């Protein structure tokens, strides 16, 4: 394989730099597309496989379960064994699992394949950003990350439209088959044009927290299984046993992380008050988003009567608003501080979800659906960029990547739990989505619950986040700032390595800590090469 330029010295304007950026965008775009297109296909999946609501929940949660549990570990594997190598493995794994999803003969195979797909996502998602941070020249990294986030945002924005078009045309299986040709382009280009990098002392300094990753995944799986099974199984042993097991495994997970020298999720970082507070806000916000987007596509198709394409297109305003305005929102947050955006944003989102209660049989898109989605999108624009900035500002620059990775994983876990719990809380039975009347009534109960969670998030923000946390005292180093400029993902905040500046000085070297590196930034030269 030809590697004409050394890692850490590739310029964005060079031919190789453009290939590296295209590779990272294509890899992360696969995962972003998947996070938005699958929801649109859920009603057709249920109809084709004769599946109840629990299967539709597992189609979403199985993927999020493995992705959220293993995303930090995926970053550590890249540091140790090579970022390009792990990224390519993730791309190929993701594509193979996608192919299995598309070929699934029944619900059981589909759910298992979705869990496997999440493992691939946990390898390629942090890897796409790690490639950029490790191989580009320090003067070009910020622009490369900005281009990566912007182009990835476009992929997230068009996802619902593409998903709906495929479902109505070729069929829901092509939502998964789409990933195969993308991977067939991405993997060879990565092997040909992206130099290999790894962290120089990763093998000596750091092990893998496999026990933590496994315990975290099993704890989430136990609680998720109980929540999804409860509407059909009541309070029987099939619900109580996994629920208790999940809680006990969660306690054991915390115990193991406290005792390990190299934990995947360092408990000490939660001793930082602001970091813990902002992650609590994140959990509230993305729990509501996860429940909303899972139920809203079903509401639009089952109750309002939209086709998959119409439902996917109907959701575009939220992501388009984020794509157009997220950069300005980040700038506004820097000027006025994050407290107001993190308070007003969730309240706007809550208002949008309450407006969605007007969406039922015979609803008009322009008078009922669109106003709700515009208000929701305005709220998401208001809060997401300041949320990321506050997470990064809460820690030292050498832990920025780790903090961002934890925040991303927390959001995905919150969304996972919401998709599992909301149907139970709203009284949505296993067969409710087959009846427009039953599902519509349950949707009316679910939206105020989502809005209530967002109000709790707003209260947490106003009580715990200071206005000046993004500013530095005179003569002091400025807090770590976000590098991702554009973001459209509705399932989690962006992964962001953070950028540190000093007043009157250049950007600090090595300011790109990545998920899974134990809080250590990569070396300016991108680590050893192979």
């Amino acid at each position: 394989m030809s590697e004409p330029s050394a890692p850490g010295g590739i310029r964005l304007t060079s031919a190789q730099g453009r290939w590296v950026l295209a590779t990272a965008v294509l890899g992360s775009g696969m995962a972003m597309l998947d996070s938005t297109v699958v929801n649109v296909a859920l009603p057709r999946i249920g109809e084709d496989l004769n599946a109840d609501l629990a299967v539709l929940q597992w189609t979403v949660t199985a993927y999020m379960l493995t992705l959220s549990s293993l995303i930090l570990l995926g970053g550590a594997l890249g540091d140790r064994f090579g970022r390009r190598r792990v990224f390519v493995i993730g791309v190929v794994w993701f594509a193979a699992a996608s192919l299995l999803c598309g070929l699934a003969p029944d619900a059981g195979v589909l759910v298992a394949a979705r869990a496997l797909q999440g493992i691939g996502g946990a390898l390629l998602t942090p890897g796409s950003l790690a490639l950029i941070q490790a191989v580009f020249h320090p003067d070009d990294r910020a622009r490369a990350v900005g281009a990566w986030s912007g182009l990835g945002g476009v992929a997230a924005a068009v996802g619902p439209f593409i998903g709906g078009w495929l479902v109505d045309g070729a069929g829901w299986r092509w939502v998964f088959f789409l990933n195969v040709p993308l991977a067939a382009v991405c993997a060879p280009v990565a092997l040909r044009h992206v130099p290999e990098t790894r962290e120089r002392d990763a093998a000596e300094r750091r092990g893998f927290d496999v026990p933590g990753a496994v315990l975290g995944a099993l704890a989430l799986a136990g609680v998720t299984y109980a929540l999804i099974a409860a509407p059909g199984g009541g309070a029987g042993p099939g619900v109580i046993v996994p629920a208790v097991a999940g809680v006990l495994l969660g306690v054991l997970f915390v115990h193991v992380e406290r005792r390990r020298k190299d934990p995947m999720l360092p408990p000490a970082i939660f001793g930082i008050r602001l970091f813990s507070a902002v992650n609590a806000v994140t959990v509230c916000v993305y729990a509501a988003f996860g429940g909303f987007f899972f139920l809203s596509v079903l509401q639009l198709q089952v109750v309002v009567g939209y086709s998959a394409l119409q439902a996917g297109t109907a959701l575009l305003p939220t992501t388009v608003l984020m794509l157009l305005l997220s950069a300005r929102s980040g700038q506004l947050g820097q000027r006025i501080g994050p407290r107001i955006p993190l308070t007003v944003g969730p309240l706007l989102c809550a208002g949008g979800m309450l407006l969605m209660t007007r969406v039922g049989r015979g609803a008009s898109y322009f008078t009922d659906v669109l106003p709700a989605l515009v208000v929701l999108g305005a709220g998401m624009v208001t809060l997401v960029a300041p949320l990321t900035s506050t997470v990064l500002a809460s820690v030292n620059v050498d832990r920025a990547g780790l903090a961002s990775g934890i925040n991303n994983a927390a959001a995905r876990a919150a969304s996972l739990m919401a998709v599992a719990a909301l149907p139970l809380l709203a009284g949505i039975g296993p067969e409710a989505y087959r009846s427009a009347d039953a599902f519509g009534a349950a949707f009316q109960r679910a939206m105020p619950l989502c809005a209530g969670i967002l109000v709790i998030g707003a209260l947490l923000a106003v009580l715990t986040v200071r206005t000046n946390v993004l500013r530095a005292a005179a003569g002091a180093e400025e807090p770590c700032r976000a590098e991702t400029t554009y973001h459209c993902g509705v399932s989690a905040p962006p992964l962001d390595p953070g950028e540190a500046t000093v007043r009157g000085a250049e950007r600090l070297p090595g300011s790109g800590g990545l998920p899974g590196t134990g809080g250590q930034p990569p070396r300016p030269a991108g680590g050893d090469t192979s």
Side-chain angles (χ1 to χ4, degrees), residues 161-185:
F161 175 83
I162 292 175
W165 177 70
L166 288 172
V167 170
D168 285 343
W172 66 265
R173 296 179 185 275
W174 281 91
V175 166
F176 300 106
F177 290 151
L178 174 66
N179 293 319
V180 177
L182 295 178
V185 173

Side-chain angles (χ1 to χ4, degrees), residues 309-364:
L309 177 58
Q310 289 172 322
T313 305
L315 296 175
L316 281 177
T318 55
T319 49
V320 170
L321 283 172
M322 292 181 70
L323 181 62
L324 295 176
L325 301 176
S326 55
R328 294 187 179 183
S329 173
Q331 295 167 0
L332 178 64
Q334 293 289 339
R335 288 200 302 270
I336 69 174
R339 188 181 191 184
I340 292 176
L342 293 184
T343 303
V344 173
L347 293 178
L348 281 173
C349 292
M353 292 185 186
L354 291 177
L355 286 174
M356 280 295 290
T357 59
R358 302 167 58 224
V359 177
R361 284 181 179 271
S364 164

